[in-house]
Amino acid sequence: TITILGERGSGKTSLLLNLKTILKDKKDELVFLNIIDPTLFETKQNILVSIISLIADIVKYEARDEEWNQSLVNLGDGLKLLDGIGSDIIKSDLFDDGALILEKGLDHASSGLNLEKSLNHFIYKSLSLLDGKKMFVLVFDDIDTNIDKGWMVLETIRKYLTSCQLQVFVSGDWNLYSSLVRIKQWENFDRKILPEKEWHEKKYLVDDLEEQYLIKILKPEYR
């Protein structure tokens, strides 16, 4: 992930909007996906599904093959386990049949564990159908201005956007990124059950957690 950092009004969005011009020497190898602004997403809209949809919309004009279709089906099976997607199998009528619920549950769990691998294969197959293209370029703009949506983007990057054929750009203010991650790390501790002394000591642990998280997701050498 390449991080474009700056304060409000410093020109981050303008830079991202001009990526096609900046990278014009590689235009025959790159596929630019529409910029994603998570602040415009509906409450239950899943970011990973939106990314897959952007790719599928481009490929749909090409000659899809059976393997591409199967890669999309495999993705769908894994996506059912994500929050806000599909129905909870435990709450369905299938629960009346213990053997069937176990079989379906195991199938979904396996698909969920392989979701990252399935996404990478989907990206690979999609590019293979786009003549001469080697990489998708995905841009997230202003993901630090909404805590829940910003955290969803960071977690999506951490868990799933690992393909070497997908270049991710994100923009934001570093102080806001820091605050976003710290808020989420503090949620690991319940103030109601921690003595005041321990609560203050946890600050140093949160400092470490914040640093390690951001180093992993937004590597310093790519900021």
Side-chain angles (χ1 to χ4, degrees):
T1 302
I2 294 175
T3 317
I4 309 299
L5 297 169
E7 298 177 353
R8 288 279 165 218
S10 59
K12 300 186 298 297
T13 300
S14 297
L15 174 62
L16 293 173
L17 289 172
N18 282 283
L19 277 179
K20 285 186 179 180
T21 302
I22 296 169
L23 300 173
K24 60 183 178 181
D25 292 342
K26 298 290 184 180
K27 65 180 181 179
D28 293 335
E29 301 177 1
L30 303 177
V31 181
F32 289 85
L33 302 175
N34 290 336
I35 292 179
I36 294 179
D37 183 347
T39 62
L40 303 179
F41 276 30
E42 298 296 333
T43 304
K44 293 185 177 181
Q45 188 172 355
N46 185 276
I47 290 175
L48 188 55
V49 173
S50 298
I51 296 169
I52 295 168
S53 176
L54 289 176
I55 295 175
D57 282 346
I58 293 174
V59 178
K60 73 180 181 181
Y61 298 110
E62 306 298 326
R64 296 179 176 181
D65 60 17
E66 185 60 35
E67 192 174 348
W68 185 89
N69 289 330
Q70 186 58 49
S71 71
L72 194 57
V73 170
N74 293 341
L75 263 179
D77 288 340
L79 289 169
K80 292 175 184 176
L81 290 183
L82 299 183
D83 289 341
I85 301 177
S87 60
D88 188 341
I89 190 170
I90 300 298
K91 298 177 182 177
S92 70
D93 294 337
L94 290 173
F95 192 68
D96 294 334
D97 187 330
L100 185 56
I101 185 66
L102 177 59
E103 179 183 351
K104 292 295 184 181
L106 291 174
D107 287 344
H108 287 322
S110 176
S111 298
L113 291 172
N114 290 322
L115 184 54
E116 175 194 358
K117 182 179 178 181
S118 296
L119 178 62
N120 288 348
H121 182 66
F122 172 73
I123 290 171
Y124 166 77
K125 282 303 303 177
S126 297
L127 284 170
S128 72
L129 297 176
L130 303 174
D131 188 38
K133 301 300 184 182
K134 297 181 178 179
M135 180 179 287
F136 289 108
V137 178
L138 175 65
V139 176
F140 293 105
D141 193 20
D142 285 336
I143 72 169
D144 56 345
T145 56
N146 182 296
I147 292 176
D148 291 330
K149 299 294 176 58
W151 182 253
M152 187 187 302
V153 171
L154 291 179
E155 283 290 89
T156 299
I157 292 173
R158 181 177 72 86
K159 295 177 182 178
Y160 308 116
L161 305 187
T162 60
S163 171
C164 60
Q165 294 180 300
L166 177 69
Q167 178 57 62
V168 180
F169 287 81
V170 299
S171 70
D173 184 310
W174 189 253
N175 290 327
L176 291 176
Y177 275 122
S178 176
S179 297
L180 185 158
V181 174
R182 291 183 70 85
I183 288 171
K184 287 298 179 179
Q185 297 300 340
W186 272 116
E187 291 179 0
N188 293 320
F189 309 108
D190 189 343
R191 190 159 193 168
K192 296 177 181 179
I193 62 175
L194 286 175
E196 191 68 20
K197 180 181 178 181
E198 286 190 32
W199 181 256
H200 289 298
E201 290 174 349
K202 290 296 183 289
K203 175 184 179 300
Y204 302 103
L205 180 57
V206 169
D207 290 341
D208 290 337
L209 290 171
E210 174 206 349
E211 181 181 6
Q212 292 304 315
Y213 186 89
L214 287 173
I215 284 176
K216 179 183 292 186
I217 308 302
L218 309 177
K219 294 181 180 296
E221 59 266 35
Y222 300 131
R223 297 174 191 168

